[in-house]
Amino acid sequence: MNTINTTQSSGIKWGPFTLRIPFIHIKFRAPEFLQGLVISGATAFAAAPLAMKLGLTFEEAVALSMVAGTFISAGPLIFGEPMAPGWVTPAVPIVMGALAAAGYYGVPPDGSDTCIGGVCKYNPEAFQFMAAMCFEFTALILILGLTGWGKLLVEKIPNGLKAGIILGAALAAFYQVFYEDFDAYLVQPVSMTVAIILCVITTFSNPFKKLAVKNRFFEVVGSLGLLPGFVIAGLLAFILGELTFNIEWGFKIPAVMSLIEKTSPIFIGLPSAQMYVDALPLVIIGYMLLFGDLVTATEVLKDAQKHRDDEILPIDLNRSHLSVGIRNLLASIINPFFPTQGALWTGVHVVVAEQWKKGPKQMPSIFDGIGSYYLMGIPFLYFTLPFVTLMQPLMVMALTLTLILTGFACAYVAMSIPKKNSEMATALLIAFFITFYSAWVGLVIGLLLSVFVDGLDEETA
């Protein structure tokens, strides 16, 4: 390996990637680090309730969050991606719905409840199915990315089908929060409602955005993403007695080995052929959502680049595909939990890019901002009991906020895609079948409607 230097950010070149070591190649920035410490830490624990539904203990769920967060942070730190990576979040409710429909958690078709008294039965087939999704997702990303077919595929998908898949992710998110997991919502009804209202306002409200332009205080609040709403709701929940904190002191090694033994295909066995068949539509949907994230991230960076000629951003979608593909492959071997390895955390990406646009005095290199934010991915936080026990009662709230904001964002995007009334109807039907039946049914019906109702004679991109 050889060392490269730029005017703003040095690193260690390896293949098409660049390793940037914090404090050596990346300057530490306290504002991004503190935001990452709280927001990323809390959001990473949103995976824990999902993992516990699949039969993992809380300790194993913490280890799962640590593994996922570490691999996500590899995007900017090890692979040199100028993007703030995150989950393929819109795919989460669709994947969990598919797992529930297959009987891996909840109440399967035979009527036997797999969760009794809040304790769920462990089923290794759930993680074999996850492994099938991760392996196929990795292969699809690498093939479509390296050949350039990915862009062509997404551009040629009819508008109705494209909108339907994204709208399906929105409906699935709302369905999971307000139907499947509504009992958890009712445990903290006031604080949950306050959290949702505040976070939706600071993220999507046009009146709030106009106010933030005129008022420095509201501008700062808006730039902090989920943090203000999450903190206020957490304090309110504590005051109202909707949750209690049991802070423990000291350090504890996460149950990584126990996690690996329960989830790694090396220990529990490889997926069956049928699992690969059942996983395919979910993987296709996941890739479409991933590619949308890559396009969004690229456009944000291109817009920011107009304000800075002192640092040329290394945008390369082929490298991005390789980065996400390698992360998914490694994660699937250690702990397959689709779809936690994606390309973009939109809120963080936009916040960092906005700061970078202000000039080298504000942020010398974009990697200083992203790298400082993702320092939390280095898993020292997960060894500290005060942090883990502080986050434990807030996990369900973090998951709920993640799903609700994902649903809003997907609905925004989906409803802007259709150009004809028939495409709107097609999108709604596809979303319905994906949410309440299966991904296969939604895709097949979507293709039929796109051909026989919308028609393919006009350009759909």
Side-chain angles (χ1 to χ4, degrees):
M1 292 187 290
N2 58 339
T3 302
I4 64 168
N5 290 289
T6 67
T7 56
Q8 298 297 336
S9 179
S10 59
I12 301 172
K13 185 79 172 175
W14 63 287
F17 310 114
T18 302
L19 168 68
R20 289 182 173 88
I21 302 172
F23 306 107
I24 297 177
H25 305 115
I26 294 172
K27 294 180 181 178
F28 177 78
R29 286 181 49 82
E32 283 75 29
F33 175 73
L34 293 175
Q35 289 182 63
L37 193 68
V38 179
I39 300 173
S40 298
T43 307
F45 274 99
L50 303 176
M52 293 168 71
K53 283 184 179 182
L54 302 179
L56 299 185
T57 65
F58 172 69
E59 291 74 17
E60 291 163 348
V62 170
L64 183 148
S65 298
M66 185 193 79
V67 171
T70 302
F71 278 119
I72 286 174
S73 298
L77 299 177
I78 297 178
F79 294 99
E81 283 291 288
M83 303 174 184
W87 297 4
V88 189
T89 312
V92 172
I94 297 176
V95 169
M96 294 304 293
L99 290 170
Y104 296 133
Y105 82 93
V107 181
D110 63 6
S112 59
D113 196 340
T114 61
C115 294
I116 300 175
V119 179
C120 299
K121 297 178 182 177
Y122 163 70
N123 186 348
E125 290 184 346
F127 292 97
Q128 288 177 328
F129 188 60
M130 288 274 201
M133 283 189 280
C134 288
F135 289 145
E136 285 188 337
F137 193 54
T138 297
L140 188 64
I141 290 171
L142 295 179
I143 292 172
L144 294 182
L146 292 174
T147 60
W149 295 342
K151 182 179 180 180
L152 182 65
L153 173 67
V154 174
E155 286 180 347
K156 295 301 180 183
I157 289 176
N159 284 332
L161 180 57
K162 190 183 304 181
I165 288 173
I166 299 173
L167 186 60
L171 291 183
F174 295 137
Y175 180 78
Q176 183 167 332
V177 171
F178 296 114
Y179 185 79
E180 287 286 338
D181 298 335
F182 195 58
D183 289 343
Y185 188 97
L186 292 178
V187 174
Q188 303 169 350
V190 177
S191 55
M192 284 281 202
T193 302
V194 169
I196 291 172
I197 291 173
L198 291 178
C199 289
V200 168
I201 288 174
T202 57
T203 306
F204 297 106
S205 170
N206 288 322
F208 180 84
K209 291 177 182 177
K210 293 178 181 179
L211 189 62
V213 171
K214 302 175 182 178
N215 187 289
R216 174 62 179 168
F217 172 77
F218 291 107
E219 180 186 1
V220 172
V221 170
S223 69
L224 293 176
L226 304 183
L227 181 57
F230 186 76
V231 170
I232 291 172
L235 291 173
L236 183 62
F238 178 72
I239 293 171
L240 296 177
E242 291 186 346
L243 60 79
T244 56
F245 294 101
N246 183 22
I247 307 298
E248 298 179 21
W249 300 98
F251 299 90
K252 185 176 181 179
I253 299 175
V256 175
M257 284 310 301
S258 176
L259 172 73
I260 293 175
E261 290 173 357
K262 281 188 175 181
T263 63
S264 171
I266 297 174
F267 285 88
I268 64 176
L270 294 172
S272 65
Q274 185 60 45
M275 287 180 177
Y276 285 106
V277 174
D278 294 339
L280 185 58
L282 299 168
V283 170
I284 294 173
I285 289 172
Y287 180 78
M288 286 190 59
L289 297 170
L290 172 72
F291 194 89
D293 281 346
L294 288 171
V295 171
T296 301
T298 301
E299 291 305 312
V300 170
L301 292 177
K302 286 181 177 178
D303 176 71
Q305 184 71 82
K306 298 174 184 176
H307 301 266
R308 294 283 298 268
D309 56 7
D310 57 295
E311 180 181 30
I312 304 301
L313 299 178
I315 303 172
D316 184 343
L317 286 184
N318 286 335
R319 187 194 59 232
S320 299
H321 276 79
L322 288 173
S323 168
V324 176
I326 292 172
R327 283 194 278 121
N328 271 277
L329 178 61
L330 294 175
S332 61
I333 294 173
I334 297 174
N335 165 232
F337 202 77
F338 185 86
T340 57
Q341 296 303 316
L344 180 67
W345 187 349
T346 307
V348 176
H349 187 68
V350 171
V351 168
V352 174
E354 286 297 317
Q355 293 299 313
W356 181 75
K357 282 165 59 174
K358 295 178 181 179
K361 290 185 179 180
Q362 177 69 23
M363 184 181 292
S365 170
I366 197 168
F367 289 101
D368 297 337
I370 297 176
S372 296
Y373 205 104
Y374 283 85
L375 272 174
M376 60 75 52
I378 299 174
F380 65 90
L381 277 180
Y382 298 92
F383 290 83
T384 58
L385 281 176
F387 175 77
V388 172
T389 53
L390 175 66
M391 289 295 109
Q392 185 172 1
L394 297 171
M395 292 187 310
V396 175
M397 185 183 293
L399 175 61
T400 299
L401 286 176
T402 300
L403 292 174
I404 290 295
L405 294 179
T406 295
F408 264 89
C410 287
Y412 262 56
V413 174
M415 300 309 293
S416 68
I417 293 175
K419 308 299 184 208
K420 300 181 292 187
N421 290 337
S422 61
E423 291 174 345
M424 295 180 187
T426 295
L428 181 59
L429 287 171
I430 294 169
F432 173 82
F433 284 107
I434 286 177
T435 303
F436 296 103
Y437 289 87
S438 74
W440 264 127
V441 172
L443 285 181
V444 170
I445 290 178
L447 288 171
L448 293 174
L449 290 173
S450 297
V451 173
F452 296 107
V453 177
D454 295 338
L456 301 178
D457 54 325
E458 297 180 20
E459 185 178 350
T460 59

